[in-house]
Amino acid sequence: MAAKRILLIIGGGIAAYKSIELVRLLRKAGMTVRCVLTRAGEQFVTPLTLAALSENKVYTSLFDLKDEVEMGHIQLSREADLVVVAPATADLLAKMAAGIADDLATTLLLATDKPVLAAPAMNVRMWLHPATQRNVVTLRGDGVTVMEPDEGEMACGEYGPGRLPEPEAIKQAIDDALARAPAAVPLTGQPDFAPANHRPLYGRRLLVTAGPTHEPIDPVRYIANRSSGKQGFAIAAAAAEAGAEVLLVAGPVPLPTPPGVVRIDVETAVEMAAEVEAALPADAAIMVAAVADWRAADTRAKKIKKDGSGHVPPLALAENPDILAGLARSAKRPPLLIGFAAETNDVIDHAQAKLARKGCDWIVANDVSADPMGGETNRVHIVSKDGVDSWDRLPKQAVARKLMEKIADELDKCSPADSD
Ligand code: C5P
């Protein structure tokens, strides 16, 4: 098989140094890498470093006539299997969304007919700004794969989403994009009009639950399961990226709403059950939420006081509705119903039992023995009546994308849900 060819556009930003590691990983995987540095990118990494690592010429200027003789910018933009923008700054995303072509990088991005993957990196406020979020929705609508940035401490001292995903995660996203991309045809003077869009869930309606539920005991205390909501949110994001209409019913988690996703926030299992019911019909429901099994039988209107006597107040519990099992029995049961199961031992056996008990089509069993809840990766097994599909440990985003491919394949066997 021919080596995959990556055109890597490196924007300006402190995270640009990570592109060096990315080039190393891509070369190690046997890929050919051509780097393009924006003027701002040149402030952070040097063409010399990138040339040495990529073992290829590094391009920086549109007006370098020598480059035009050796290789025109149209050819440069198309003689790749995938165009990767990392870091994709707010400015680059805005120009891409608006179709501005005022330097080599943006001209290549406008001229290419190949799939484009962008790994954003910017200050948290810039990422959350409505303008950037609008640009991301536009780009995803245009078929660009825009990764979710990582969350954490930023170089500027602020905290939140906006960090460049780690090079391993970008490499994984590149592998996924290449697996989806149509085979590249070398340019022969005839433009290759293979569609860059890969939206296998276009026209489908997906319902996702995510996060924990909080069951109030009194105004300050609640019962809950541990859940970061990250996997559920990544699934909602990947579904929207794949072109689906996505409704996300989310328990209390401080995560931003993924672009293109309609989010309904709930607090309790009873509220979540009602919103799930109201959201139907759907082609598929993916129930990722860690719903609390019990709620307080009577919620106190006032805070229960500790009186110092050592007296422990009784706490009567009532069972919560099992939303997944209820949906499986409902007349509006989605054609594809998927449950999750976090297990620490006998993962497959427990998942098989849960599949039968809940009446769903697949159980995505995640092994939480090696990885605490709230981590960035997941090792999952998809358990269905057809058997067990075990995946390697992957970043949660990659699990979500791979799951979307599997869901799209499955739904292709069904007809779209009625939307009236
Ligand atoms: O029974 P358990 O909590 O282990 O089952 C996990 C699966 O069932 C998840 O898909 C979860 O979202 C769903 N569930 C639910 N309603 C509940 C409990 C779990 O939808 N009350």
Side-chain angles (χ1 to χ4, degrees), residues 192-239:
D192 160 20
F193 287 117
N197 281 10
H198 180 70
R199 315 189 81 205
L201 287 171
Y202 183 80
R204 303 291 190 183
R205 189 173 150 84
L206 263 64
L207 168 65
V208 181
T209 67
T213 62
H214 285 182
E215 311 296 335
I217 296 169
D218 67 16
V220 296
R221 304 180 179 96
Y222 59 81
I223 303 167
N225 288 348
R226 277 187 208 283
S227 170
S228 68
K230 284 180 190 166
Q231 185 64 79
F233 273 60
I235 284 171

Side-chain angles (χ1 to χ4, degrees), residues 74-385:
I74 301 289
Q75 195 181 354
L76 183 59
S77 76
R78 294 183 186 170
E79 274 212 349
D81 297 292
L82 182 69
V83 181
V84 179
V85 191
T89 58
D91 177 63
L92 261 177
L93 290 177
K95 283 181 174 161
M96 286 166 73
I100 293 171
D102 63 355
D103 64 2
L104 179 60
T106 49
T107 302
L108 294 172
L109 284 161
L110 199 61
T112 191
D113 59 353
K114 292 300 180 303
V116 178
L117 168 81
M122 65 197 74
N123 165 272
V124 53
R125 292 282 142 227
M126 292 170 81
W127 172 252
L128 294 175
H129 195 285
T132 304
Q133 290 300 309
R134 211 165 42 233
N135 291 333
V136 171
V137 171
T138 301
L139 288 168
R140 287 184 176 151
D142 292 346
V144 174
T145 302
V146 183
M147 294 179 72
E148 288 298 314
D150 276 359
E151 193 172 320
E153 186 125 20
M154 323 224 54
C156 52
E158 286 183 67
Y159 188 91
R163 286 167 58 97
L164 184 71
E166 290 304 321
E168 292 77 12
I170 302 177
K171 161 74 171 45
Q172 180 64 53
I174 288 173
D175 288 342
D176 292 347
L178 286 171
R180 295 194 300 258
V185 181
L187 198 71
T188 54
Q190 200 51 20
D192 160 20
F193 287 117
N197 281 10
H198 180 70
R199 315 189 81 205
L201 287 171
Y202 183 80
R204 303 291 190 183
R205 189 173 150 84
L206 263 64
L207 168 65
V208 181
T209 67
T213 62
H214 285 182
E215 311 296 335
I217 296 169
D218 67 16
V220 296
R221 304 180 179 96
Y222 59 81
I223 303 167
N225 288 348
R226 277 187 208 283
S227 170
S228 68
K230 284 180 190 166
Q231 185 64 79
F233 273 60
I235 284 171
E241 245 176 50
E245 184 191 339
V246 186
L247 189 91
L248 171 65
V249 182
V253 278
L255 294 175
T257 307
V261 168
V262 176
R263 170 180 183 172
I264 297 177
D265 284 316
V266 296
E267 185 96 12
T268 67
V270 169
E271 288 168 13
M272 186 174 274
E275 292 298 346
V276 163
E277 167 73 26
L280 300 172
D283 294 291
I286 311 155
M287 315 294 277
V288 198
V291 183
D293 291 313
W294 301 284
R295 63 181 180 276
D298 65 313
T299 302
R300 306 293 181 84
K302 289 200 178 129
K303 183 180 171 188
I304 304 167
K305 298 302 288 180
K306 188 165 68 177
D307 62 13
S309 70
H311 169 74
V312 178
L315 180 61
L317 298 176
E319 191 165 325
N320 267 332
D322 190 314
I323 306 169
L324 175 58
L327 202 51
R329 289 190 302 266
S330 141
K332 290 187 185 169
R333 183 195 195 279
L336 182 59
L337 184 55
I338 304 172
F340 264 66
E343 305 287 356
T344 53
N345 58 297
D346 303 320
V347 177
I348 309 288
D349 286 352
H350 284 138
Q352 270 158 346
K354 195 163 289 186
L355 187 73
R357 200 168 63 242
K358 302 263 184 180
C360 53
D361 300 303
W362 302 349
I363 285 283
V364 181
N366 55 330
D367 185 346
V368 291
S369 57
D371 193 34
M373 306 262 187
E376 301 303 328
T377 61
N378 234 341
R379 170 156 165 68
V380 303
H381 311 268
I382 319 292
V383 179
S384 71
K385 65 173 178 9

Side-chain angles (χ1 to χ4, degrees), residues 61-78:
S61 167
L62 186 59
F63 302 107
D64 189 340
L65 285 177
K66 195 162 165 291
D67 291 350
E68 285 294 318
V69 173
E70 283 174 3
M71 177 182 281
H73 62 269
I74 301 289
Q75 195 181 354
L76 183 59
S77 76
R78 294 183 186 170

